[in-house]
Amino acid sequence: DGLAAGIAFICCLTFSIVSVLTGNGSLAMIFALLAGSVLGFLKYNFPIAKVYMGNAGSHFLGFVLSTLSIMISYAPFEKKIALFVPLVILGVPIFDTLFVMWMPILKRQYDWAKSDDHLALRLIARGHAKRKTVICMFLFAFIFSVCAVALLETSAPQCYIYLLALMTLCFVLAHRMRNVVS
């Protein structure tokens, strides 16, 4: 409840900020409009949800975010590291996808059926309430977003430190969640 919409909202706001920083005003407006529409939906989708997005809605948001993210010109920053910005902004959905793909391999289950290996479902299996889990995932997305904007605004050595810290966070989280039975 609210997870996909909240993560999409955070990503849209971050892409809007990055679009402004890179001089892409029209894309900033598109991201802001998408963020507003997702926020309007989130009002009714946050736990306890009255309306559900479903796979079609979450896949649509993922498609739109990924498509629009490649339209931003990251070249004004003249740093090769700036090319990682969209990957970092979308870091939580990318991490979750990779985690869900990797867990059946570790369990030696190759049926690729419906999976309960999503990070949010594993947090709930650990005993966290749905609302607390959703807020924790929002915080995770916010950390990625702040680091993405920092990649644009800081020097190259600091950028590498941010990326290393994010990768370490992901590996530690994956390691701690891999043994949780969902």
Side-chain angles (χ1 to χ4, degrees), residues 19-35:
S19 297
V20 167
L21 292 174
T22 58
N24 296 305
S26 58
L27 276 175
M29 182 61 72
I30 292 171
F31 279 116
L33 290 170
L34 185 59

Side-chain angles (χ1 to χ4, degrees), residues 100-114 117:
V100 167
M101 289 169 53
W102 185 249
M103 288 312 297
I105 294 170
L106 288 179
K107 292 189 244 178
R108 302 197 191 298
Q109 297 174 344
Y110 303 107
D111 57 358
W112 303 106
K114 178 185 174 286
D117 289 324

Side-chain angles (χ1 to χ4, degrees), residues 95-172:
F95 170 77
D96 194 47
T97 301
L98 292 174
F99 188 74
V100 167
M101 289 169 53
W102 185 249
M103 288 312 297
I105 294 170
L106 288 179
K107 292 189 244 178
R108 302 197 191 298
Q109 297 174 344
Y110 303 107
D111 57 358
W112 303 106
K114 178 185 174 286
S115 175
D116 290 332
D117 289 324
H118 290 280
L119 182 59
L121 296 177
R122 286 180 172 260
L123 287 171
I124 291 170
R126 275 190 117 177
H128 298 290
K130 276 187 180 181
R131 186 172 281 237
K132 183 178 178 182
T133 298
V134 169
I135 291 171
C136 178
M137 295 296 290
F138 290 174
L139 180 62
F140 197 38
F142 181 75
I143 290 168
F144 271 77
S145 292
V146 168
C147 287
V149 174
L151 288 178
L152 294 175
E153 297 295 321
T154 58
S155 64
Q158 287 176 325
C159 291
Y160 294 117
I161 292 170
Y162 292 143
L163 287 176
L164 182 64
L166 284 175
M167 287 175 28
T168 304
L169 174 67
C170 287
F171 282 120
V172 167

Side-chain angles (χ1 to χ4, degrees), residues 79-99:
K79 294 191 291 188
K80 291 180 181 178
I81 197 83
L83 296 175
F84 285 99
V85 169
L87 294 174
V88 174
I89 294 171
L90 296 171
V92 172
I94 291 170
F95 170 77
D96 194 47
T97 301
L98 292 174
F99 188 74

